[in-house]
Structure formats: C-alpha cells, structure tokens
Amino acid sequence: MGEVRRGFFEKVSKAGGFEGQFGRAEKCLNRWLVSKSDEEFTREILKAGVGEEATAEIVQSTKEAVLKAKEAVHKGRPVDVKIKTDKQNNTILTVRDTKFNISSTQWDKLRRQYRWDDDKFEQCVALMMLRYRCLTGGRSGLQDAVPKEVMGVLQRRLDVEVEGFASPINSELGCFCSMFPETDVVFGSLGSFWDFSPTSGSIEVNPPFTEQVMADLDGRITALLTATPHPLSFTLIIPEWTDPPTPSITSIRANPHDHLRLDLTIRQGTHTYTDGLSGLPTPPFVRNTLILVLMNDAGYAKWGPNLPLLKEDLVDCWECDENPAKKRRVE
C-alpha cells in the first residue's frame, strides 16, 4: 500500500506539486463559497452521500458560516490566519471572525501529517477547516471516527494501512481517502475513495452513514475484490439498521462471491466513537455497530488465520458494559 501512496504523490508532483495544489485549493474554496447557490450546495452535499433531511439541515445551518468564510477568503490573496494557544494548550485558529478550537492532540497530528512548506501550514489548515465547516456547520458529528485502539487492532491483525473515508481532522493512519483532495492532499489524502483502485492491501472503511453510500460501496468493493489476484481486504464499519433491514447489509451478507469473512456486532450502548475535533470519546452509540470484513481468496489466505484473534480483540477493546467512554486497550 506504500506504493499507492508514492504513486499518488508522484502524480501530484507531475501536476505542479503541492504549490499547484495549494493554488487550486484556494481558488476552488473561494469559488465554492462565493458562487454556490443553495441548490448547487445541496447537490454537492447529496453527491457526497449525505441524506436528504440531513442535507437540508446542513444547508440551513451553514449559511452563517459561509457568509463569514466569504469575508475570509479573497481571490488571489492569502488567507489571513491568526493563531493563539489557550490555557489548556489547545490551538485557537481564527480567520477573520470564524474561529476553530483545535485540541493540542489534533493540532500535533495535523503537523505530523503535513507534507509541504512549513510557512504554509497554518494557511493549509485554515483552508481545510473552512471547507469542512461548510459541510458540517461547525458540528463535529460528521467527523466522528473509529477509536485509535480499534484502529490499532486492525493494523495489528489485518495490516490495515489506509482509511477509505476520512479527513485530515479525523484520520488516524495519516494515509486516507477524503471528500476534498484539493485541500487534503498536503495532509496525506489519496483522493476520493471512488477514484481509489487498490490491487492489494488492507483498507478500513467507515463511510457516511447513508443507505445510498453503503449500497454503492457494496458494488465498488465487490468489483475491486474480484478484479485482482493479489491479497486485498476491506474492513467495513457501519451502523446496523434493522428497522427496516438495510438492503445494502442484506446484499453484503448474501454476496455470491463469498467475500464476507467476518460479521461482528458491537452492541449498542456499550461503545463510543471519537470526536474528530477534540479527540475525546462521543456519547455511547445508540445503535449496534457492524464490523464486516470482506476479502478475496488471496486476502483470506494471508489474513484469514488472524480473524479469530481479530474478533476477540475488537470486542475486548471496543465493547464495555460498565463505562463505554473508557475504551479498553488490548495489550
């Protein structure tokens, strides 16, 4: 999978390097903020996989954020970013009167993931944060992530190296696919998952929780698994919708290619996710979470022997009846 990352950044270099990416990012963000109508904004969010009701709420709640961002981003001029640190050593990043409170842990993570000129780091963070603010309306729910302890188990048992749906804000591995590559590439994004075509490796997939995205994922993952003779694995982490049953989950479980190698349920109320901005546990999740591991035959030959230990470790580190917010660690 390291070859995937190297190949992507070679392509970026040939296309003008990060300098070109940064220029396109600023122009794209400016154009997106200034010229998008509500209808265009709605279509773009729906295309990203957000449901209709949530999309309407997002469009309404982000109007104020968009207006503020318009004042902050000027065509052909650098973003004016101000940085200060509070008493808890958290970073307060300000673009005009739009503020982002970023925990010291998350700020340090962005620093580690960043791979371009040091003097442009703060501007790159600002552009990226503004872009996601317009999607989430300042709410962190859309940036909730799988806990790092769980990701550690996936790395150890399945050699997971890439996150299929993430952002610079919530990525744990630093090598991920994301919604906005023009602002995310400098933080390790490989581009959109839908343009990602791995022929080997192990990928964790925690997509937006919408039926359409999960239905599209079923077909996409099946196509990738059947197209390569090399070991390939996808670990899909999604909510278990049972009322009514979710067609995409039914389809995955009935996969005619027998790609489903592990079907594990983490019980509702016993586990949490991680808030992308603060890095802290969310409230206990109100639904079961499904962990579905899909592999081709070569992948099963490579990682299949680890599945019993994977199942045991995942339950041990993520499911906790007494205090779900206190995530267990697997030694």
Side-chain angles (χ1 to χ4, degrees), residues 78-131:
V79 179
D80 181 20
V81 181
K82 295 179 180 178
I83 300 289
K84 68 177 183 179
T85 304
D86 65 14
K87 294 180 180 179
Q88 287 74 42
N89 204 33
N90 297 319
T91 297
I92 301 174
L93 182 150
T94 304
V95 185
R96 293 292 176 88
D97 56 349
T98 299
K99 291 186 178 182
F100 301 97
N101 295 308
I102 306 173
S103 71
S104 58
T105 300
Q106 298 303 87
W107 185 259
D108 291 343
K109 184 187 73 172
L110 289 171
R111 276 282 189 192
R112 290 194 304 271
Q113 293 179 182
Y114 182 69
R115 54 198 74 186
W116 195 33
D117 294 344
D118 287 343
D119 61 352
K120 291 184 172 65
F121 171 71
E122 292 172 358
Q123 288 194 28
C124 286
V125 172
L127 286 167
M128 180 270 295
M129 295 292 287
L130 283 168
R131 189 74 189 262

Side-chain angles (χ1 to χ4, degrees), residues 206-211 214 236-250 252-253 260 262-271 273 285-292 318-319:
N206 178 219
F209 293 164
T210 71
E211 174 58 30
M214 289 192 282
L236 186 58
I237 300 177
I238 55 178
E240 184 177 27
W241 288 324
T242 56
D243 187 20
T246 305
S248 59
I249 295 175
T250 302
I252 291 171
R253 284 173 166 160
L260 183 59
L262 178 68
D263 186 338
L264 174 64
T265 297
I266 303 296
R267 293 173 295 126
Q268 67 182 48
T270 68
H271 64 292
Y273 284 78
F285 195 49
V286 296
R287 295 184 182 274
N288 291 342
T289 287
L290 280 183
I291 302 177
L292 306 174
W318 207 2
E319 196 172 82

Side-chain angles (χ1 to χ4, degrees), residues 62-306:
T62 56
K63 282 183 178 180
E64 182 178 346
V66 171
L67 288 172
K68 291 179 179 179
K70 283 181 181 180
E71 299 175 3
V73 183
H74 296 275
K75 188 173 182 179
R77 295 164 60 183
V79 179
D80 181 20
V81 181
K82 295 179 180 178
I83 300 289
K84 68 177 183 179
T85 304
D86 65 14
K87 294 180 180 179
Q88 287 74 42
N89 204 33
N90 297 319
T91 297
I92 301 174
L93 182 150
T94 304
V95 185
R96 293 292 176 88
D97 56 349
T98 299
K99 291 186 178 182
F100 301 97
N101 295 308
I102 306 173
S103 71
S104 58
T105 300
Q106 298 303 87
W107 185 259
D108 291 343
K109 184 187 73 172
L110 289 171
R111 276 282 189 192
R112 290 194 304 271
Q113 293 179 182
Y114 182 69
R115 54 198 74 186
W116 195 33
D117 294 344
D118 287 343
D119 61 352
K120 291 184 172 65
F121 171 71
E122 292 172 358
Q123 288 194 28
C124 286
V125 172
L127 286 167
M128 180 270 295
M129 295 292 287
L130 283 168
R131 189 74 189 262
Y132 281 97
R133 168 66 69 87
C134 290
L135 175 64
T136 66
R139 299 171 303 167
S140 60
L142 292 177
Q143 292 294 334
D144 289 349
V146 173
K148 64 179 181 180
E149 292 85 358
V150 174
M151 197 67 74
V153 170
L154 297 179
Q155 286 181 289
R156 184 166 61 256
R157 299 303 184 192
L158 297 182
D159 302 322
V160 166
E161 293 184 289
V162 174
E163 296 165 87
F165 288 83
S167 73
I169 302 167
N170 66 17
S171 170
E172 184 63 37
L173 303 181
C175 186
F176 57 94
C177 298
S178 68
M179 192 179 300
F180 305 123
E182 67 276 4
T183 55
D184 301 349
V185 64
V186 294
F187 297 102
S189 174
L190 299 171
S192 169
F193 177 82
W194 307 111
D195 297 325
F196 182 50
S197 300
T199 57
S200 66
S202 186
I203 298 104
E204 179 267 351
V205 181
N206 178 219
F209 293 164
T210 71
E211 174 58 30
Q212 185 58 56
V213 170
M214 289 192 282
D216 291 344
L217 266 178
D218 180 22
R220 178 64 175 162
I221 290 175
T222 296
L224 291 170
L225 288 172
T226 55
T228 178
H230 305 295
L232 186 61
S233 172
F234 292 90
T235 300
L236 186 58
I237 300 177
I238 55 178
E240 184 177 27
W241 288 324
T242 56
D243 187 20
T246 305
S248 59
I249 295 175
T250 302
S251 176
I252 291 171
R253 284 173 166 160
N255 189 295
H257 300 283
D258 296 323
H259 289 149
L260 183 59
R261 312 295 183 168
L262 178 68
D263 186 338
L264 174 64
T265 297
I266 303 296
R267 293 173 295 126
Q268 67 182 48
T270 68
H271 64 292
T272 68
Y273 284 78
T274 297
D275 183 293
L277 284 177
S278 71
L280 299 174
T282 64
F285 195 49
V286 296
R287 295 184 182 274
N288 291 342
T289 287
L290 280 183
I291 302 177
L292 306 174
V293 179
L294 298 100
M295 301 173 178
N296 60 8
D297 288 342
Y300 187 64
K302 181 174 182 178
W303 295 294
N306 292 341

Side-chain angles (χ1 to χ4, degrees), residues 28-43:
C28 179
L29 182 62
N30 182 62
R31 184 171 62 251
W32 190 75
L33 290 172
V34 173
S35 65
K36 290 282 183 184
S37 64
D38 283 358
E39 291 77 16
E40 290 173 307
F41 186 32
T42 299
R43 282 198 298 271

